Amino acid sequence: MQACYITGQLPATPVQFQLPARIPIISRIKRSMFCARAESSINLGPELDVSTLDCSNRMFILGMGYVGQFFAKDLLRQGWVVSGTCTNSIKKKELEQKGFNIHLLDAYNLEWKITQILKHYTHLLVCIPPVVGIGDLMLQQEEFLKSRLVDGNLQWLCYLSSTSVYGDCKGAWVNEDYPPNPSGKLAELRLDAEEGWLRLGADLGISAHVFRLGGIYGPGRSAIDTILKQEPLSEGQKRRTSKNYTSRVHIADICQALKASIFMPTSRKIYNIVDDDPASREEVFEFAQQLIQKRWDALTERTDLSNGADVPEAERIPVGEKRVSNALMKEELGVRLLHPTYRSGLQTILDHMNGHPFCYAI
Ligand SMILES: NC(=O)c1ccc[n+]([C@@H]2O[C@H](COP(=O)([O-])OP(=O)(O)OC[C@H]3O[C@@H](n4cnc5c(N)ncnc54)[C@H](OP(=O)(O)O)[C@@H]3O)[C@@H](O)[C@H]2O)c1
């Protein structure tokens, strides 16, 4: 029987840092400098039969990507039963080696089997993004999903959305009551997906939330990692460099907010999950560069942050200027941000690099 630890309090455990999924090739850092992976494994086994477990906290994560893995690890350490999905068998194997219970899911073809498994879980986190031209893949079969879950154990669901649904607000502060005005196709589909998941939650009679996340960063995915990998900015990034304000949030604070919404139920459906400091990307990269140079002076060349100046005006992506307010997240969910600004977030990421770039202390 799976032991289960249930608490009404927000756990104060620090986030557990992971190594990034792929080790970057940096010519100036020898292979031997990389640390070995040192993760503790809480192996529930690939063929976990949840219906036989006596545990009232069971989380199913649709899409074990960046957020899914961090959150899963956090919950596992607190005694939850956690399972999740990915799309291919290589990743499934990798995730199972990390101790996760994983099911393959191609959301283009939602199968009876996965819904049969899902209905044994009490909580559902949706991390799969919508697809342009289609929308939310799971909700393409909303009625089927509803019919499968209606007599199940689900009590809570949360759909991870994006602050992109607000569109361009000319730099104004926006809260959850600000009328969404998505300016691109994907953001429109996000809004549809938000409505769909809230509708499903209401139809099932369960607690359902939408979290509008700012740009997600954390160990393995941050300005520090981008600079150390010496990756050029993507075309999309270049076209967005002129943005004055970018909402962002550290992965540890997303996990905090998720747990808060589980343990402190509220009637509100939608929350902005962002930090206090919607600084420009240039400012964040400049700070990351300074941190790196202080730590490994001889190691890195300065990354050219002027990229984008050569992008023709017509090709620039609408920047959607806004400053997203997190007041409700603090007032109603009681979240006290671990990283109110990118400064503490990046500093912590650097501090947990165990002596060498890309080696995170566990
Ligand atoms: N990145 C940001 O800054 C940001 C900001 C705001 C909101 N968001 C949104 O927040 C959510 C979580 O973010 P994240 O960074 O954790 O995303 P992520 O790392 O990209 O993970 C997405 C997950 O969705 C799964 N997925 C994608 N297509 C699928 C399909 N056809 N069928 C089944 N599963 C599929 C992926 O499967 P595999 O594991 O097999 O790849 C992956 O597990 C996403 O919706 C993301 O778009 C992201």
Side-chain angles (χ1 to χ4, degrees):
M1 187 188 297
Q2 175 75 26
C4 197
Y5 163 66
I6 306 168
T7 175
Q9 289 182 326
L10 285 186
T13 48
V15 68
Q16 304 299 323
F17 291 95
Q18 287 179 276
L19 287 167
R22 67 193 167 91
I23 294 190
I25 301 161
I26 303 175
S27 56
R28 298 170 76 174
I29 305 172
K30 289 198 180 110
R31 263 183 107 72
S32 59
M33 289 173 73
F34 291 107
C35 309
R37 183 172 241 130
E39 292 178 333
S40 66
S41 176
I42 312 162
N43 203 340
L44 294 172
E47 296 303 326
L48 178 73
D49 180 359
V50 179
S51 61
T52 63
L53 296 176
D54 177 21
C55 178
S56 52
N57 283 346
R58 306 169 184 178
M59 175 69 68
F60 197 87
I61 300 176
L62 286 169
M64 286 282 281
Y66 189 73
V67 176
Q69 288 182 52
F70 263 88
F71 192 48
K73 204 162 183 183
D74 206 349
L75 293 181
L76 280 173
R77 288 179 193 282
Q78 290 163 41
W80 281 63
V81 170
V82 184
S83 298
T85 68
C86 70
T87 56
N88 69 77
S89 45
I90 296 172
K91 183 165 178 187
K92 180 175 187 288
K93 210 166 197 172
E94 284 172 9
L95 291 174
E96 284 168 354
Q97 279 166 0
K98 289 183 184 177
F100 298 123
N101 180 55
I102 298 296
H103 301 275
L104 282 179
L105 170 70
D106 169 10
Y108 286 93
N109 301 297
L110 183 59
E111 289 173 11
W112 181 88
K113 190 180 157 201
I114 201 88
T115 58
Q116 188 62 19
I117 293 166
L118 227 174
K119 64 197 287 186
H120 292 296
Y121 286 78
T122 53
H123 297 71
L124 174 66
L125 178 66
V126 185
C127 305
I128 302 176
V131 174
V132 175
I134 302 179
D136 188 284
L137 297 174
M138 298 290 292
L139 292 177
Q140 294 308 298
Q141 302 177 64
E142 188 176 337
E143 286 306 314
F144 170 64
L145 197 55
K146 192 169 40 174
S147 69
R148 300 295 304 145
L149 297 180
V150 72
D151 58 350
N153 290 285
L154 217 53
Q155 306 161 7
W156 173 99
L157 76 77
C158 183
Y159 173 70
L160 296 188
S161 182
S162 161
T163 56
S164 65
V165 295
Y166 292 114
D168 187 7
C169 311
K170 313 282 180 228
W173 280 98
V174 299
N175 65 17
E176 290 81 346
D177 294 330
Y178 196 93
N181 183 24
S183 41
K185 267 274 154 249
L186 204 55
E188 280 172 20
L189 295 172
R190 276 277 181 214
L191 198 56
D192 293 345
E194 288 186 354
E195 286 165 11
W197 284 104
L198 290 180
R199 185 172 55 240
L200 182 71
D203 289 349
L204 294 174
I206 62 172
S207 168
H209 297 283
V210 162
F211 276 10
R212 291 179 176 158
L213 306 177
I216 303 164
Y217 77 103
R221 190 197 275 185
S222 72
I224 288 177
D225 294 86
T226 303
I227 293 170
L228 287 174
K229 287 177 199 165
Q230 300 279 315
E231 282 179 343
L233 295 182
S234 69
E235 284 309 305
Q237 284 175 320
K238 282 184 195 172
R239 282 184 259 158
R240 290 193 296 264
T241 46
S242 63
K243 207 167 175 178
N244 291 319
Y245 305 113
T246 303
S247 300
R248 60 184 64 74
V249 60
H250 191 282
I251 181 68
D253 286 320
I254 298 174
C255 292
Q256 274 208 80
L258 286 168
K259 285 185 285 191
S261 92
I262 292 171
F263 292 119
M264 300 202 310
T266 61
S267 55
R268 182 175 290 277
K269 301 289 175 208
I270 300 176
Y271 287 98
N272 294 332
I273 308 295
V274 297
D275 70 16
D276 294 341
D277 186 7
S280 73
R281 192 148 45 107
E282 281 83 351
E283 186 183 321
V284 173
F285 268 82
E286 187 58 46
F287 182 74
Q289 190 103 56
Q290 285 168 15
L291 286 182
I292 290 167
Q293 282 183 323
K294 256 191 240 159
R295 176 89 174 260
W296 298 291
D297 195 26
L299 194 67
T300 52
E301 291 157 9
R302 282 190 75 82
T303 298
D304 179 10
L305 303 174
S306 66
N307 284 352
D310 54 340
V311 175
E313 195 58 36
E315 287 175 29
R316 289 181 186 272
I317 291 174
V319 286
E321 293 283 9
K322 60 194 162 278
R323 285 171 285 175
V324 180
S325 165
N326 59 18
L328 286 175
M329 172 190 81
K330 291 179 177 171
E331 282 164 27
E332 296 186 6
L333 296 178
V335 171
R336 281 197 218 129
L337 289 168
L338 292 167
H339 301 295
T341 83
Y342 65 86
R343 288 186 176 79
S344 79
L346 292 180
Q347 183 68 62
T348 308
I349 290 167
L350 195 84
D351 291 346
H352 284 82
M353 286 179 167
N354 212 0
H356 301 299
F358 300 109
C359 293
Y360 294 99
I362 309 294

